[in-house]
Amino acid sequence: MYKYKNVKIHLVQGDITTMAVDAIVNAANNTLLGGGGVDGAIHRAGGPTILEQCKKIGGCPTGEARITTAGNMPSKYVIHAVGPVYKGGNKNEDKLLYNAYYNSLKLAKDYNLKTIAFPAISTGVYGYPKDEASDIAIKAVMDFIDNEGGIEEVYFVLFNKDNYTLYEEKLNLKFSR
Ligand code: AR6
């Protein structure tokens, strides 16, 4: 566990659908109608009520986020964030990925949520280089804590060991334990 300005930052290797937090973040697409990767895992674990709510929302622009309940999962909400498809790095991907994290935290704050878990958005099917993506994720969380506050615990949930180790190295440099 790490700390940044009284906010607890946790690093977890595993499946985000099992996290008992106020909100888990989904790496969704613009349709919000489901897909593979973490999106598929969330819809499978949460059950059909999530898709019903997503259909009513009707989609989400890249860099933004929308909220639903979490169905059968232990978390209370799912925040569906849409990261960019990586197209070489000159298509505003960094800003869009940053916004996906920052806007997820804003939505959590609007709902008075205190604990949130993030996957490594855009680093699977969307092809974002993991090293750069982890820097952006950490920067967005730190900036949000600096500018907005309201959040108490942030979990970075990494599915595989490589990505976990990458985050561990970066968090060790930035935060106290
Ligand atoms: N828990 C935590 N992390 C996971 C899980 C899980 N259960 N499953 C995969 N990951 P991806 P993207 C990691 O492809 O790149 C979908 O089809 C995975 O190892 O899920 O943002 C959507 O519908 C990777 O590091 O999301 C979109 O169309 C990270 O989650 C598209 O994929 C993100 O990989 C979004 O692509």
Side-chain angles (χ1 to χ4, degrees):
M1 201 255 286
Y2 300 84
K3 266 201 142 176
Y4 182 65
K5 296 188 173 174
N6 285 332
V7 179
K8 292 176 180 163
I9 316 265
H10 305 269
L11 196 53
V12 175
Q13 192 190 343
D15 177 359
I16 202 166
T17 66
T18 67
M19 297 293 296
V21 287
D22 291 338
I24 61 169
V25 176
N26 182 17
N29 60 55
N30 295 127
T31 70
L32 299 185
L33 297 181
V38 69
D39 196 4
I42 284 172
H43 281 277
R44 270 194 306 279
T49 60
I50 298 177
L51 186 58
E52 282 165 26
Q53 293 167 69
C54 283
K55 281 181 182 161
K56 286 192 186 131
I57 294 167
C60 178
T62 306
E64 294 188 20
R66 300 288 184 268
I67 193 165
T68 67
T69 57
N72 303 324
M73 290 183 289
S75 55
K76 295 190 188 111
Y77 294 94
V78 178
I79 291 175
H80 303 265
V82 183
V85 177
Y86 191 78
K87 294 174 181 161
N90 294 318
K91 301 281 182 200
N92 211 24
E93 292 98 327
D94 52 354
K95 187 66 188 160
L96 291 167
L97 184 60
Y98 180 95
N99 289 349
Y101 281 92
Y102 204 93
N103 287 325
S104 296
L105 288 160
K106 268 194 166 166
L107 198 47
K109 189 179 181 187
D110 290 344
Y111 277 72
N112 202 26
L113 309 182
K114 302 296 179 193
T115 58
I116 188 167
F118 284 103
I121 300 169
S122 285
T123 66
V125 178
Y126 280 2
Y128 211 112
K130 289 185 168 60
D131 189 48
E132 284 169 57
S134 66
D135 286 335
I136 291 168
I138 294 165
K139 172 97 167 71
V141 167
M142 289 175 81
D143 286 353
F144 189 86
I145 294 167
D146 290 342
N147 300 336
E148 302 260 354
I151 200 81
E152 292 176 1
E153 297 190 55
V154 177
Y155 292 80
F156 290 112
V157 182
L158 291 319
F159 204 50
N160 54 55
K161 183 75 184 162
D162 286 1
N163 221 0
Y164 177 90
T165 306
L166 187 69
Y167 270 74
E168 193 176 35
E169 284 168 9
K170 301 206 167 165
L171 294 176
N172 282 342
L173 291 175
K174 285 202 183 327
F175 303 124
S176 59
R177 300 197 91 138

